[in-house]
Amino acid sequence: VLAAADAQAARQNLVANAYNISASGSPVFTADRGYTGDGVGAYLNTGAVPASLAKFKQNDASIFSYANTNAQDASNDVGTLTGVTILLKPYTVTGTRIDARVNSSATGQGAVVATALGLTGVSRSSSSLMDIVRNGAVLNTVSNTSVAPEAVQPITLLQGGGSYSVRRLAVGGFGAGLTLQNVADLYAALNTYLTAVGAN
């Protein structure tokens, strides 16, 4: 949860004392709001290499981010440093949609959206399908063949494949695939907290 009281808390993994974030290229931290990218070289490095994670398997994985500033562009809010099997574009210029992939060499094109704001993600629970989600609901399920998880590059926030975001992220995450109930519960919990601290 990047929308924390201070930068140290924002960089901590809430699940365990592992994969804590390091900042690169000076993304801007704002208390109780999150980290903002510069579109050039600022990003957050989790140090988590997908292939080494216990809860990120080829056919059972998800990534997500919660943006609280809006920008329509081709940049990624979640990805890996130079790899292309994990990408999350919450509001693309082409098609004004969500584009995403998790453990795939091809991008799944999500439903048309009108903003980047809110919780956006992609979840895989099979070798052939991905769910693209926004604010607690599955917008659409796309046919998309899985590949092995990235074995070298760590997962990053505010960046993916060399494409840097200018949005401010209140939350960023990854893990096992999410059920419909998981998606709804995650959004409800994050929305409640972010509303309470004024990050929405």
Side-chain angles (χ1 to χ4, degrees), residues 84-148:
V84 294
T85 60
I86 298 172
L87 298 172
L88 182 61
K89 302 176 189 291
Y91 189 26
T92 63
V93 175
T94 304
T96 62
R97 63 182 182 247
I98 300 167
D99 281 357
R101 61 176 80 169
V102 60
N103 297 338
S104 175
S105 57
T107 299
Q109 298 178 347
V112 172
V113 292
T115 182
L117 297 173
L119 180 65
T120 305
V122 56
S123 177
R124 176 182 292 282
S125 56
S126 79
S127 63
S128 60
L129 298 173
M130 296 188 312
D131 290 327
I132 296 178
V133 304
R134 168 67 63 83
N135 291 342
V138 175
L139 298 188
N140 61 320
T141 300
V142 295
S143 178
N144 186 283
T145 302
S146 70
V147 298

Side-chain angles (χ1 to χ4, degrees), residues 57-99:
K57 301 303 183 184
Q58 179 168 336
N59 300 318
D60 184 15
S62 66
I63 58 173
F64 55 89
S65 66
Y66 199 120
N68 59 16
T69 61
N70 189 32
Q72 183 182 17
D73 60 23
S75 68
N76 294 295
D77 283 358
V78 185
T80 55
L81 286 172
T82 59
V84 294
T85 60
I86 298 172
L87 298 172
L88 182 61
K89 302 176 189 291
Y91 189 26
T92 63
V93 175
T94 304
T96 62
R97 63 182 182 247
I98 300 167
D99 281 357

Side-chain angles (χ1 to χ4, degrees), residues 1-4 33-35 66-68 168-172 193-194 199-200:
V1 176
L2 306 176
R33 299 296 182 269
Y35 270 100
Y66 199 120
N68 59 16
R168 185 174 64 206
L169 299 187
V171 175
Y193 167 75
L194 294 174
N200 272 341

